[in-house]
Amino acid sequence: MDRPTRCPSGGLLLDVRDEGPSHGAPVLLLHGFPQDRTCWDRVTPVLHDAGLRTLAPDQRGYSPGARPTGRGAYRLELLVEDAVAVLDAAGLERAHVVGHDWGGIVAWALAAHRPERAASLTVASVPHPRALARSLARSGQGLRSAYVGAFQLPRVPEALLRPRLGELLHRSGLPAAEAARYAARMEEPGALTGALNWYRALPLSRLRTGPVDVPTTYAWGNRDLALGRRAAELTAGHVRGPYRFVELDAGHWLPETRPGLLARLVAERAGDPGGTAGRG
């Protein structure tokens, strides 16, 4: 079957990069905000060398052919449907699912609600959503997450972010080249609003992510400015399958700053989906 470069989903077209050994075990790579599929550029060569095939879409709001108007078009259940549509377009029953940042939230939800499509799960940075919610009242996570409330405003976040997005990303620990590239991508018509609509759709989403049964690895950087230790440690209570928690001496942007290590964690989980090493 030909590898798709554009994937239909609900009347939209997602751009997809499908690379690596054609018969390798597939890995679905889901980027976060305000990244795009290029965030995996230093991760995928290591995965390919390990014999894995990678599928990295520009998700809803990021692909030029998938920027619907209105925040309701960015509900979590639709983002999960997009991820499943990428697998369907490639003729794949399931894949090892990997997500960073917002892509991690989609990955958690996919593994919880469509476990038959996830051979395993590897999430970078973002804890299980219920662990994150539990941490808000008993840690400093509420302050760390205050920007989510600010993003609910119409138009104002776009006006404030657009002229200084690259600088803010770099100050948060993202390398300068990637910060400039992502900021330039957000200058495309509708791109920044589409990306922010992921946050604005949170109150409208009907999908509530439950416990995860698939084998899972969760990697968290202990210098992450947005996501604190309490939620990271609580995540174990929301995974019922084989689980591994890896604390890194790193910040938030793991695909860009720790690509080799992250790739190794993905390859290890894909090579041992049953988690014979157990929880730890």
Side-chain angles (χ1 to χ4, degrees), residues 201-241:
L202 278 170
L204 306 178
S205 295
R206 296 185 291 270
L207 199 63
R208 298 293 179 263
T209 303
V212 170
D213 293 314
V214 305
T216 298
T217 296
Y218 171 45
W220 170 73
N222 55 24
R223 291 185 279 112
D224 194 314
L225 298 177
L227 299 158
R229 177 176 298 278
R230 178 65 174 162
E233 293 179 344
L234 287 172
T235 291
H238 298 276
V239 181
R240 296 187 297 213

Side-chain angles (χ1 to χ4, degrees), residues 69-85:
T69 58
R71 60 177 184 157
Y74 296 84
R75 301 190 310 275
L76 181 56
E77 53 266 31
L78 298 177
L79 305 177
V80 171
E81 288 180 11
D82 288 345
V84 171

Side-chain angles (χ1 to χ4, degrees), residues 157-267:
E158 285 91 333
L160 294 176
L161 286 175
R162 188 168 283 113
R164 55 181 63 87
L165 182 58
E167 175 190 353
L168 291 172
L169 291 173
H170 184 47
R171 286 171 56 188
S172 73
L174 188 64
E178 283 85 352
R181 185 171 73 246
Y182 300 151
R185 183 75 182 270
M186 290 294 101
E187 293 288 342
E188 296 178 6
L192 183 55
T193 295
L196 288 170
N197 277 343
W198 286 49
Y199 294 92
R200 292 168 177 153
L202 278 170
L204 306 178
S205 295
R206 296 185 291 270
L207 199 63
R208 298 293 179 263
T209 303
V212 170
D213 293 314
V214 305
T216 298
T217 296
Y218 171 45
W220 170 73
N222 55 24
R223 291 185 279 112
D224 194 314
L225 298 177
L227 299 158
R229 177 176 298 278
R230 178 65 174 162
E233 293 179 344
L234 287 172
T235 291
H238 298 276
V239 181
R240 296 187 297 213
Y243 179 63
R244 182 185 181 192
F245 172 50
V246 181
E247 178 178 339
L248 305 177
D249 182 21
H252 180 73
W253 307 99
L254 299 181
E256 296 89 353
T257 63
R258 296 292 188 274
L261 179 53
L262 183 56
R264 180 168 60 82
L265 294 176
V266 173

